[in-house]
Amino acid sequence: MPVMLRSGSFRTKTESEENSSSPVSKRRTQTKKEFSQEDENKEEPVRNIEEIRRKNLEDNKAFLEGLLMTQIRDDLKSLANTLQPTIKKEGKKRDYKYITVSENVPVRRSRRLANMDVNGNKLPSPEESDNEMDTTKDRSVMSVVYRRQTYKRESGISPEEQEVLNQKIQTFFEENNSIIDSKKSIYEFSDLEITDENVLKLTPDRLLFMDIHSRSDILAIIGCDRKGTIGLVVKSINDLNGAWCKINYNFHSEYATCCRFDNFNSNIINSTSYDSTFRTCDIIKNQSIEIFKDPDNHGLTAFDYRSLQTCLISENNGDVLLADIRASPVSIERFDVSKKRIRTLHINPIQTDEFCISGLDNCVKVWDLRNMSTMKYCLQTNYSCYGAYYNQAGSHIMATTRDDHLMSFSCNDMKYANDPLDIQPMKKIYHRNYVNRFVTPFTAQPYPIFEMYFLIGSSGYPRTISIFNENCQEISSLSSENLNSLATVNVSHQTLPIIAGGNSSGRIHVFTGHI
């Protein structure tokens, strides 16, 4: 059988190729060579493949050496070996070379997290403020330490001293010398100031809500925090620069969301919490009682008094409860007013059947207890709200939204609106309501003395508490050298020139005027 060989080593040129070899054309032409019968019977010579491979390798090596590629390869290998770390293999263990830091090199260590002072001594749980950190250096340790200004904690007193304070607090509330007078004080905002004695700790953790007593003979302030603690501080009106009497009540096991003095009995504190309980505390008897607990374990987020006997309570599942807290057992009527969590609930001071709620819905909803089948008004905010409250005159609702705006809605515009479920704000301005996740967002609280005004904190510097009217116009602002943190929760006395601003760490700053 004829076999055609394609290898150039065994290929023989034909006569025509020798005669017609052209230096220009390098194309190989295939020729057919006929073999005789004798040639077919001859054995084909064996090709030495290894010899051919060896010859090709030598040719390639000689070609690379001519280009100096071999020398370049050896130089790269030697350079890579010098840059590699020394690794000693012993089985699976490896000895790596680590960089050690000398003890003389300054290293930043957090003494605040370790609860230690600059000398390394353990501190008894100091209370920290929100003002800017001061940088100091401990020369003995050569480390950078960040320290905050600390205040003496009243809870660190002995049980005997606390018992004396409790007796004094009970005496304040037993001796009711308050004169019922509807006349409100008229004063200038520039007359209000903060003394050193009126800066103190109210709650041990983040402050969420505050209330101030309406009595005119004592100054009593309560606040609740996210650990479930209710803080109470009280002093006599005749000694506004004197010492405070303080007590903390551990009412709840979770967030205490709202606390208020009772309208029926001035010696009672009521509070709600995410632990689904509504509790009442008698200050004189120094005892707390659970009024009721939601059987479905829905957290209670806020409440407000409708009358001396009843109150409205909001839940995080969007329900509102109408509760008769004086009845035994407590009677509850439930209304489904929202599908999302409610943050705040406020009853119209003039029309007690009307109330507004705000929360994760992108609107403020207004309902009327006389007709709970349909919503009365829907105030469009386009974003969820941190809070919505009526002014003391009951003519406007001020809402603070998640997109950092302050919105005012007129109740008069609601009555004559073409679509009661699509009410637009009469005024809207930018106001930074959210600072960070460790700070309570700003809300606009009503100002009882000036019925058209609202109180709200400011993130500007120096720190201030702003007073806005119903048209979102800033009327004035309160500032002091002692106000060195964000006043996120603010409340004022109903008849006296007293305003208290609380920051997220639980410390309050009390502005007082001439009484």
Side-chain angles (χ1 to χ4, degrees), residues 89-105:
K89 295 185 177 180
E90 263 180 59
K92 293 184 178 180
K93 296 183 179 180
R94 297 181 179 179
D95 287 336
Y96 292 96
K97 291 184 178 180
Y98 296 95
I99 299 176
T100 58
V101 181
S102 174
E103 294 183 357
N104 296 327
V105 178

Side-chain angles (χ1 to χ4, degrees), residues 255-482:
Y255 272 61
T257 54
C258 186
C259 60
R260 296 180 186 271
F261 287 104
D262 196 289
N263 286 342
F264 182 77
N265 188 345
S266 61
N267 303 326
I268 298 295
I269 300 174
N270 296 319
S271 62
T272 55
S273 171
Y274 278 145
D275 62 6
S276 307
T277 60
F278 183 94
R279 302 186 66 91
T280 183
C281 173
D282 192 321
I283 300 174
I284 297 178
K285 297 180 181 179
N286 197 16
Q287 63 180 8
S288 174
I289 302 174
E290 182 180 301
I291 297 299
F292 77 91
K293 182 175 182 179
D294 187 270
D296 298 327
N297 290 325
H298 293 143
L300 310 182
T301 58
F303 77 98
D304 198 5
Y305 299 112
R306 178 173 177 261
S307 64
L308 298 178
Q309 195 78 9
T310 60
C311 66
L312 283 175
I313 307 170
S314 61
E315 295 187 324
N316 59 3
N317 68 331
D319 289 351
V320 168
L321 310 179
L322 177 60
D324 187 350
I325 58 178
R326 303 300 168 194
S328 182
V330 177
S331 62
I332 300 294
E333 190 175 359
R334 184 181 296 271
F335 304 101
D336 184 5
V337 298
S338 176
K339 301 301 180 184
K340 297 183 179 180
R341 182 166 66 93
I342 301 173
R343 284 195 177 106
T344 62
L345 180 149
H346 193 218
I347 295 177
N348 191 330
I350 305 302
Q351 180 61 41
T352 57
D353 289 326
E354 183 182 283
F355 65 95
C356 67
I357 59 172
S358 66
L360 298 186
D361 284 320
N362 296 337
C363 61
V364 177
K365 297 181 178 180
V366 180
W367 292 81
D368 196 319
L369 289 172
R370 294 168 295 186
N371 182 17
M372 293 298 292
S373 59
T374 58
M375 188 192 315
K376 189 174 183 180
Y377 303 115
C378 184
L379 316 181
Q380 300 298 328
T381 59
N382 299 326
Y383 281 86
S384 61
C385 297
Y386 292 125
Y389 295 92
Y390 288 93
N391 59 359
Q392 193 64 25
S395 60
H396 291 78
I397 295 177
M398 190 74 75
T400 52
T401 58
R402 194 172 180 269
D403 64 336
D404 290 337
H405 280 90
L406 192 64
M407 299 183 183
S408 178
F409 298 88
S410 173
C411 294
N412 190 46
D413 293 344
M414 300 178 197
K415 296 179 182 179
Y416 301 102
N418 294 329
D419 186 0
L421 300 183
D422 187 18
I423 308 295
Q424 299 298 323
M426 59 171 288
K427 188 68 176 179
K428 176 181 177 180
I429 64 170
Y430 174 80
H431 186 275
R432 189 179 178 187
N433 302 321
Y434 180 81
V435 182
N436 59 55
R437 64 190 182 96
F438 299 105
V439 178
T440 305
F442 292 111
T443 56
Q445 297 284 343
Y447 198 168
I449 294 182
F450 300 92
E451 295 182 344
M452 304 300 290
Y453 292 176
F454 292 88
L455 293 171
I456 188 171
S458 173
S459 60
Y461 193 85
R463 307 305 187 193
T464 59
I465 299 176
S466 301
I467 296 96
F468 284 90
N469 63 7
E470 73 280 7
N471 295 318
C472 296
Q473 297 175 343
E474 187 174 3
I475 302 301
S476 182
S477 61
L478 304 177
S479 62
S480 173
E481 60 181 6
N482 287 321

Side-chain angles (χ1 to χ4, degrees), residues 186-232:
I186 304 299
Y187 55 90
E188 298 290 336
F189 294 111
S190 58
D191 296 336
L192 302 181
E193 58 181 5
I194 303 176
T195 60
D196 295 338
E197 294 78 12
N198 291 333
V199 179
L200 74 157
K201 194 79 167 177
L202 179 61
T203 57
D205 205 275
R206 184 193 296 183
L207 184 64
L208 301 177
F209 195 87
M210 276 200 309
D211 191 22
I212 191 168
H213 210 294
S214 59
R215 284 174 53 176
S216 60
D217 59 333
I218 62 173
L219 174 56
I221 303 172
I222 57 173
C224 58
D225 67 6
R226 61 177 181 176
K227 285 187 176 180
T229 304
I230 308 296
L232 167 65

Side-chain angles (χ1 to χ4, degrees), residues 37-151:
Q37 188 68 24
E38 296 178 356
D39 294 337
E40 291 181 1
N41 296 331
K42 291 182 181 180
E43 294 183 359
E44 183 180 352
V46 180
R47 299 173 58 190
N48 193 349
I49 303 300
E50 291 297 330
E51 184 67 22
I52 296 174
R53 179 178 178 276
R54 184 187 61 78
K55 186 176 181 304
N56 289 337
L57 291 176
E58 290 178 355
D59 293 343
N60 292 336
K61 183 178 179 181
F63 176 74
L64 293 175
E65 288 178 352
L67 296 178
L68 301 179
M69 296 298 295
T70 306
Q71 183 178 355
I72 295 173
R73 179 196 63 188
D74 296 337
D75 293 342
L76 290 175
K77 285 185 177 180
S78 61
L79 180 61
N81 292 332
T82 56
L83 295 177
Q84 286 183 353
T86 304
I87 300 177
K88 181 180 179 182
K89 295 185 177 180
E90 263 180 59
K92 293 184 178 180
K93 296 183 179 180
R94 297 181 179 179
D95 287 336
Y96 292 96
K97 291 184 178 180
Y98 296 95
I99 299 176
T100 58
V101 181
S102 174
E103 294 183 357
N104 296 327
V105 178
V107 180
R108 175 180 173 180
R109 299 183 178 89
S110 176
R111 296 301 183 90
R112 178 179 64 84
L113 297 178
N115 199 16
M116 300 168 65
D117 59 11
V118 293
N119 297 322
N121 300 321
K122 198 72 175 178
L123 293 176
S125 301
E127 296 175 0
E128 300 170 356
S129 62
D130 285 346
N131 48 341
E132 289 72 13
M133 295 183 293
D134 297 326
T135 304
T136 59
K137 182 180 288 187
D138 185 3
R139 297 180 179 177
S140 61
V141 186
M142 293 293 293
S143 62
V144 179
V145 180
Y146 291 90
R147 245 187 347 186
R148 290 182 177 182
Q149 186 178 358
T150 59
Y151 291 84

